[in-house]
């Protein structure tokens, strides 16, 4: 699986859009970009994933650059409950039991 | 659905003791996995299962055993606990029809003295 690079921490004001970057310059053509988050003392939670097109669901939007070497997770209207560690993961689709490689992620702190 | 449940929530063991961490899911997911998370670190895969009767090793399997006799349950056994196994343990399940999404349990905090 390709490696990812994320900033260790970010702040965002409540109600504003939170934009979390991720670099994955060695991504392969068949690898997807996944985002999970982990709220303090809880298990990780799936947010969104994509291959090359931008994706949106009820939680967030995922913007993937045309060369696929980086992506941005957007939380459109951040709330205090969005304070968490956000993990960007790159891997081949499928094989859902054999593990996701979680790095250290980005600690997003939403400020009131 | 209760989703993925884990018991106990917290456990203290002495070195050399054995115990089983329980994990159950009521979503009829084929795939299940065990991870550990150490302070300031990401999650590391211990063991996983793609169906009843089938298990395989992950990144850090030493000191742990698993079995999968039913679709619902995937217990993790520590045969002889060591202080290095102090960690938070997460169980996850994944549906066959949507392998992109893993559903995690709330975790078990284990302290080995």
């Amino acid at each position: 699986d390709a490696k990812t690079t994320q900033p260790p921490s970010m702040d965002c004001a409540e109600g504003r859009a939170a934009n979390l970057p991720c670099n994955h310059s060695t991504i392969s053509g068949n690898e997807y970009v996944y985002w999970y988050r982990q709220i303090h003392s809880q298990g990780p939670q799936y947010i969104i994933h994509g291959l090359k097109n931008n994706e949106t669901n009820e939680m967030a939007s995922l913007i993937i650059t045309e060369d696929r070497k980086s992506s941005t997770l957007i939380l459109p209207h951040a709330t205090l409950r969005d304070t968490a560690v956000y993990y960007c993961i790159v891997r081949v689709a499928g094989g859902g039991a054999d593990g996701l490689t979680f790095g250290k992620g980005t600690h997003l702190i939403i400020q009131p | 659905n209760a989703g993925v449940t884990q018991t106990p929530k917290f456990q203290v063991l002495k070195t050399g003791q054995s115990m089983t961490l329980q994990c159950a899911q009521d979503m009829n997911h084929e795939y299940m996995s065990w991870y550990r998370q150490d302070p300031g670190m990401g999650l590391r895969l211990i063991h996983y299962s793609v169906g009843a009767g089938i298990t395989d090793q992950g990144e850090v399997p030493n000191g742990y055993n698993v079995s999968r006799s039913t679709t619902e349950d995937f217990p993790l056994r520590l045969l002889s606990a060591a202080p290095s196994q102090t960690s938070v343990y997460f169980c996850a399940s994944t549906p066959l029809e949507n392998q992109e999404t893993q559903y995690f349990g709330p975790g078990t905090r284990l302290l080995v003295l």
Side-chain angles (χ1 to χ4, degrees):
Chain A
D1 296 338
K3 285 189 64 175
T4 62
T5 303
Q6 299 177 253
S9 65
M10 293 181 62
D11 288 349
C12 179
E14 188 177 17
R16 304 297 294 268
N19 297 277
L20 290 89
C22 179
N23 287 326
H24 31 79
S25 58
T26 61
I27 191 170
S28 299
N30 61 347
E31 288 182 316
Y32 283 67
V33 180
Y34 295 80
W35 284 85
Y36 279 72
R37 74 179 183 184
Q38 187 174 22
I39 296 171
H40 182 63
S41 297
Q42 297 183 20
Q45 176 189 25
Y46 166 83
I47 301 173
I48 199 168
H49 76 281
L51 182 62
K52 55 183 178 180
N53 296 322
N54 298 337
E55 303 287 345
T56 295
N57 63 20
E58 65 279 4
M59 290 183 67
S61 295
L62 174 60
I63 308 298
I64 302 174
T65 58
E66 192 168 344
D67 63 8
R68 304 209 321 124
K69 293 184 176 182
S70 65
S71 60
T72 300
L73 178 75
I74 302 173
L75 308 178
H77 305 288
T79 70
L80 297 178
R81 289 177 296 178
D82 292 322
T83 292
V85 178
Y86 287 76
Y87 297 98
C88 171
I89 300 165
V90 171
R91 62 163 287 165
V92 176
D98 64 346
L100 297 165
T101 301
F102 288 79
K104 294 188 177 181
T106 296
H107 187 195
L108 176 66
I109 300 172
I110 306 301
Q111 303 283 1
Chain B
N1 286 350
V4 180
T5 58
Q6 293 184 237
T7 56
K9 291 184 179 181
F10 182 72
Q11 183 72 46
V12 179
L13 290 179
K14 295 181 179 179
T15 297
Q17 286 184 316
S18 63
M19 80 160 294
T20 300
L21 279 63
Q22 302 291 344
C23 174
Q25 51 94 7
D26 61 358
M27 299 173 284
N28 202 32
H29 289 172
E30 289 77 6
Y31 299 161
M32 296 186 75
S33 311
W34 274 104
Y35 294 84
R36 63 177 286 174
Q37 185 174 34
D38 299 312
M41 303 286 289
L43 281 72
R44 292 185 291 171
L45 183 67
I46 304 172
H47 285 284
Y48 65 97
S49 169
V50 298
I54 306 170
T55 64
D56 209 342
Q57 295 181 351
E59 179 186 356
V60 289
N62 292 340
Y64 307 95
N65 282 349
V66 292
S67 60
R68 185 95 180 272
S69 56
T70 67
T71 299
E72 294 78 19
D73 300 298
F74 191 41
L76 178 72
R77 298 183 185 84
L78 284 70
L79 300 179
S80 179
S84 61
Q85 294 178 305
T86 292
S87 190
V88 181
Y89 292 84
F90 291 101
C91 179
S93 72
T94 307
L96 180 64
E97 68 276 10
N98 183 12
Q99 295 178 35
E100 317 313 327
T101 306
Q102 291 199 2
Y103 296 82
F104 285 83
T108 293
R109 295 181 177 275
L110 178 65
L111 174 62
V112 183
L113 301 175

